[in-house]
Amino acid sequence: AASSTAAFGTLGLDTSVVSVATALSISTGTAASASITSLTALLTTVSTGQSNLNAYSVSLAADQSAVTSLGTNLQSTINSLQAVDQTALQAQLQQLNNQQSVDYYLVSQMNTAAQAVLSIFR
């Protein structure tokens, strides 16, 4: 059974963008520097979220491929069970039956030979 879990945490990008956008100020050099720091932190958060989503996407694609392969193999097995070649199975059964008859004959011949050898020692 294939299973995969992905924990999609809340990134909070909507509130982060709004809070950073409303707090941006470039009226002074210090405020502009603080705004750049805030934007850099927001870009890092967005980049991390994007990386996580990409990793989840790759994982889900691999799981999909595995499940598709499993489904194909199971369908192939079902098809081979349903499409039995009765003529080939009958021929194989006849061959095995013939081999069993030959083996039985050989064992009975060996038993006869063994009985003859035992009668010499009696």
Side-chain angles (χ1 to χ4, degrees):
S3 67
S4 180
T5 58
F8 292 108
T10 303
L11 296 176
L13 294 179
D14 54 348
T15 56
S16 296
V17 170
V18 170
S19 66
V20 169
T22 56
L24 291 179
S25 173
I26 55 170
S27 58
T28 65
T30 305
S33 179
S35 296
I36 289 173
T37 303
S38 296
L39 285 173
T40 302
L42 181 62
L43 285 174
T44 301
T45 302
V46 169
S47 179
T48 301
Q50 184 180 14
S51 295
N52 289 340
L53 288 174
N54 189 34
Y56 294 144
S57 174
V58 168
S59 176
L60 288 173
D63 287 345
Q64 179 187 11
S65 175
V67 168
T68 301
S69 175
L70 181 64
T72 302
N73 291 341
L74 287 174
Q75 188 61 47
S76 175
T77 301
I78 289 170
N79 290 343
S80 68
L81 290 174
Q82 289 176 344
V84 174
D85 185 4
Q86 293 180 359
T87 306
L89 287 177
Q90 184 65 31
Q92 184 182 13
L93 181 62
Q94 185 63 41
Q95 180 184 9
L96 291 172
N97 192 21
N98 291 343
Q99 184 64 45
Q100 183 182 19
S101 296
V102 169
D103 291 345
Y104 181 77
Y105 175 76
L106 290 175
V107 167
S108 67
Q109 291 297 317
M110 286 190 289
N111 281 340
T112 305
Q115 295 269 336
V117 171
L118 283 176
S119 66
I120 294 174
F121 291 112
R122 287 186 191 165

